Amino acid sequence: MSPEALSPSTWMSRHLSRRSLLRTGSAAAVGLGLGTAASGCGFDSGGSASQKTGDEPIEMKIDGDLVYFNWADFVDPAVFAGFEKEYDVKVVQSNFDSMEGMVAKLNAGNKYDIIFPTAKWAERLVQGNRLRRIDHSQLRNADAVFGHYDYFADPWYDQGSRHTVPFTMYKTGIGWRKDKIGDDLSGSWDDLWLSRAKGRVFVLDDRDEVLGMAALKRGLDVSTSDSDDLSEITSTLRSLRPHLRGFSSNSYNNLLTGNAAMTQAWSGDMAAMLNEAKDPSKFGFEIAKEGAPLNSDCYAIPSNAPHPGTAMLFIDYLLRPENVRKNIEYIGYPMPVKGSEDTYSALVEPFPSCVVSADELKDDLYFHNGDKQAERARDAAWTRVKAS
């Protein structure tokens, strides 16, 4: 099913439930039992059973229906239907609206066969002994990922990708209305301070993204928790406040309706917007020359998954070239699978900056976990920014 075949309400529902409800701040995680280091924070102990079973090989076979836990509407329904028909199983779907919400369900003892954490949350799961090992040699199309995207062969969040397979990628930039403020932007985060957009600018309602944007503007690390750095970041963001209409992660809809003349935005949401805009030429999307935060989602199998064999088959099925293409066209996010690049490039032809290249992944502009003290310092800075 192509994006063009979707109704505006379907596209809006997907992207509101996908990224606009994502919160990367750690305040909720603190309430879920932070440890002394964020690498294991936010998770109750997996216990000796999960630690014993975590490295046992999973036989790729049907061992029950698939219990699936992901962002809402983030796999093409036709792909689900094809999997169910081919393997004579049902896909039992549940959805979360934030990483913290996902953690809460896991800590409550809910059992899922496959989940889709972002990179920093994958690291927390791995170090909390909450994921099963995934044997890439069993996945028929794994080489299309790990043989061509070296970054994911040994990512910082999961050594050797022992417990994860990358699902999607995205980056953060600036979307704007050319018909409102013109087309002569500088290609810098400074553009958010443009006088002609004053009062019609939004930034994402997301701690890491906003602090990271100001950090990049000042030449600092996107995940810094240094007190002097955070003071400089909050000062920079206070100077932006007179230009802001507000904090909102609904950048897709804000631009379409004209509520925003300019907004900080995720690349996937901009790709989605193209499919609803009556005149895409009125819109622009740029990646700032100071750098753009990057992120990715992963396939992962929880340590207490009741049907891990079915989960392995599902990952393998989604890595088939035809299913990768279907999902890219359906969700508007690129996937690190060799041979899919042209599909995504065609989808975002008006916004080529949405493309995430293998070279960009090496820039290490991911948001990283800090220890308990670091996360609290970033929370405090975020609170000051929103209260200023």
Side-chain angles (χ1 to χ4, degrees), residues 145-165:
V145 178
F146 300 108
H148 296 275
Y149 284 82
D150 293 343
Y151 183 91
F152 291 110
D154 190 26
W156 59 271
Y157 55 84
D158 179 20
Q159 185 176 7
S161 280
R162 286 171 54 84
H163 309 85
T164 59
V165 175

Side-chain angles (χ1 to χ4, degrees), residues 42-185:
F43 300 100
D44 294 336
S45 170
S48 59
S50 68
Q51 293 179 31
K52 289 179 181 178
T53 61
D55 278 343
E56 293 178 359
I58 301 172
E59 185 179 355
M60 193 166 69
K61 65 176 184 179
I62 291 297
D63 51 10
D65 291 337
L66 182 76
V67 185
Y68 165 100
F69 196 35
N70 195 3
W71 306 97
D73 204 14
F74 221 56
V75 168
D76 187 334
V79 174
F80 281 134
F83 180 76
E84 290 178 325
K85 182 177 181 180
E86 181 168 335
Y87 292 104
D88 192 26
V89 294
K90 296 294 183 185
V91 177
V92 182
Q93 296 188 49
S94 295
N95 304 123
F96 50 77
D97 59 14
S98 70
M99 287 287 101
E100 290 84 359
M102 179 193 73
V103 171
K105 291 291 187 180
L106 292 173
N107 282 345
N110 292 36
K111 295 183 178 182
Y112 306 99
D113 296 318
I114 191 162
I115 59 176
F116 297 77
T118 58
K120 66 183 290 183
W121 287 88
E123 182 185 47
R124 297 181 183 191
L125 285 161
V126 168
Q127 298 204 15
N129 298 304
R130 303 300 296 274
L131 299 180
R132 294 290 299 268
R133 180 167 62 87
I134 295 176
D135 183 357
H136 301 159
S137 68
Q138 293 195 49
L139 302 172
R140 301 174 186 90
N141 294 290
D143 185 64
V145 178
F146 300 108
H148 296 275
Y149 284 82
D150 293 343
Y151 183 91
F152 291 110
D154 190 26
W156 59 271
Y157 55 84
D158 179 20
Q159 185 176 7
S161 280
R162 286 171 54 84
H163 309 85
T164 59
V165 175
F167 178 51
T168 65
M169 310 176 290
Y170 58 99
K171 55 188 175 181
T172 312
I174 297 174
W176 80 96
R177 293 282 302 245
K178 295 179 181 180
D179 59 334
K180 304 291 186 182
I181 57 174
D183 195 19
D184 55 335
L185 272 62

Side-chain angles (χ1 to χ4, degrees), residues 314-326:
F314 184 70
I315 295 172
D316 187 58
Y317 185 79
L318 263 69
L319 289 178
R320 292 181 188 177
E322 65 274 19
N323 291 330
V324 172
R325 288 192 292 271
K326 286 178 183 177

